[in-house]
Amino acid sequence: MEQSFIMIKPDGVQRGLVGEIIARFERKGFTLKGLKLVSVERSFAERHYSDLSAKPFFNGLVEYIISGPVVAMVWEGKNVVVTGRKIIGATNPADSAPGTIRGDFAIDIGRNVIHGSDSVESARKEVALWFPEGTVGWQTSLHPWIYE
Ligand code: DAT
Ligand code: MG
């Protein structure tokens, strides 16, 4: 089953949005397979965002991610990467639809509350980077009530 790496960024943690965000993924029907509160080092944040290292906003982005603890999660389910991005909303909260996490809880692009993998391939890399210890192997008993 497909997995996505979802991270509540430091602003989301500071603003008390952890429960709200987890609830949205839970209620959708996705399954939580990994969860931890972590403060990451600069070099780790740079690795996570290595694809963006040439961007002018890269340093500010890294500073933001290391500015406080983040909640790192792995969510599993059918099409969770694409659907997770829809739940999260557009990168710039000014363009995120109401009803999405960024649309409901964010204003500035540099304080957009949450990260979600943008492809199945990057999800695989991000899950491996953030959860080298592995994720939790369990199956929800709700499966037949969520999938036909
Ligand atoms: P996303 O987080 O939606 O996958 P991304 O991978 O393109 O977006 O960029 C990672 C983060 O970098 C994004 O959540 C916020 C920041 N960012 C992206 N584009 C930016 C820009 N033009 N100015 C400032 N920050 C930006
Ligand atoms: Mg991205």
Side-chain angles (χ1 to χ4, degrees), residues 11-86:
D11 50 337
V13 175
Q14 294 285 353
R15 293 175 57 200
L17 296 173
V18 171
E20 169 75 37
I21 289 170
I22 289 176
R24 290 185 179 209
F25 282 84
E26 263 184 337
R27 290 188 306 220
K28 175 68 176 170
F30 292 132
T31 308
L32 186 61
K33 291 292 174 103
L35 171 72
K36 59 188 178 186
L37 179 73
V38 281
S39 288
V40 298
E41 300 199 332
R42 181 177 303 273
S43 58
F44 187 91
E46 287 171 352
R47 262 179 84 188
H48 170 73
Y49 280 123
S50 57
D51 290 353
L52 300 174
S53 61
K55 300 284 186 188
F57 57 83
F58 181 71
N59 282 337
L61 176 60
V62 169
E63 285 293 339
Y64 162 46
I65 295 304
I66 67 173
S67 65
V70 300
V71 174
M73 297 177 280
V74 178
W75 286 92
E76 189 175 282
K78 190 191 225 175
N79 296 324
V80 66
V81 169
V82 164
T83 304
R85 297 277 299 188
K86 288 183 186 160

Side-chain angles (χ1 to χ4, degrees), residues 9 48-49 51-52 85 91 102 115-119 122 126:
K9 294 176 177 177
H48 170 73
Y49 280 123
D51 290 353
L52 300 174
R85 297 277 299 188
T91 301
R102 287 167 174 165
H115 164 86
S117 304
D118 64 8
S119 68
S122 54
E126 290 171 357

